């Protein structure tokens, strides 16, 4: 039984947005930020975080293939079937958590420290 192309595209879209949502939740948890984001802002950050997670996973794949074959090619064609998605998806979710954690730590070290009030010293 085959699925219509529209259904397959909808499934791929949902599967590709989940890592961004996980990254966004990891950032807010790691940085201890109470983010009052609108639905549009959440969607935008999820798109961005999903793109970053997918890019990191792709470049990990490129490095792995370069090490195993001895040929480093930045652009490799990937034909992913359903079985490969099931095998690789947990790795993508793990990469999304790592991206969220690193982003949260960067936020804490850059923006988080500048928003805390400085204590004044009096003489």
């Amino acid at each position: 039984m085959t699925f219509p192309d529209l259904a397959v595209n909808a499934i791929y879209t949902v599967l590709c947005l989940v890592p961004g949502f996980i990254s966004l939740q990891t950032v807010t948890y790691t940085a201890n930020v109470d983010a009052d984001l609108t639905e549009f802002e959440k969607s935008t950050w999820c798109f961005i975080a999903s793109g970053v997670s997918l890019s990191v996973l792709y470049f990990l794949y490129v490095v792995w293939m370069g090490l195993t074959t001895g040929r480093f090619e930045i652009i490799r064609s990937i034909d992913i079937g359903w079985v490969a998605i099931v095998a690789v998806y947990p790795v993508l979710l793990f990469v999304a958590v790592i991206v969220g954690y690193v982003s949260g730590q960067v936020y804490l070290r850059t923006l988080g420290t500048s928003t805390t009030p400085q204590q004044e010293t009096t003489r």
Side-chain angles (χ1 to χ4, degrees):
M1 180 173 133
T2 61
F3 291 108
D5 287 339
L6 186 60
V8 172
N9 288 340
I11 291 170
Y12 278 136
T13 302
V14 169
L15 288 177
C16 287
L17 286 178
V18 169
F21 178 76
I22 290 174
S23 291
L24 181 62
Q25 293 302 317
T26 305
V27 167
T28 57
Y29 179 76
T30 302
N32 198 14
V33 176
D34 184 27
D36 268 346
L37 300 175
T38 65
E39 293 299 319
F40 177 76
E41 291 169 335
K42 284 181 188 177
S43 299
T44 303
W45 283 114
C46 286
F47 278 125
I48 292 169
S50 289
V52 170
S53 297
L54 287 167
S55 296
V56 166
L57 185 62
Y58 173 76
F59 284 114
L60 287 173
Y61 169 75
V62 166
V63 168
W64 174 259
M65 291 302 292
L67 291 174
T68 58
T69 63
R71 291 181 14 208
F72 285 98
E73 299 173 10
I74 296 295
I75 300 173
R76 290 186 174 267
S77 63
I78 299 175
D79 186 22
I80 298 179
W82 286 102
V83 175
I85 287 177
V86 170
V88 173
Y89 198 70
V91 177
L92 176 61
L93 296 180
F94 179 72
V95 167
V97 170
I98 298 299
V99 166
Y101 179 76
V102 169
S103 299
Q105 292 299 316
V106 167
Y107 176 81
L108 278 177
R109 296 199 190 272
T110 58
L111 298 175
T113 57
S114 65
T115 59
T116 58
Q118 300 289 331
Q119 292 183 353
E120 295 181 22
T121 58
T122 58
R123 293 185 185 209

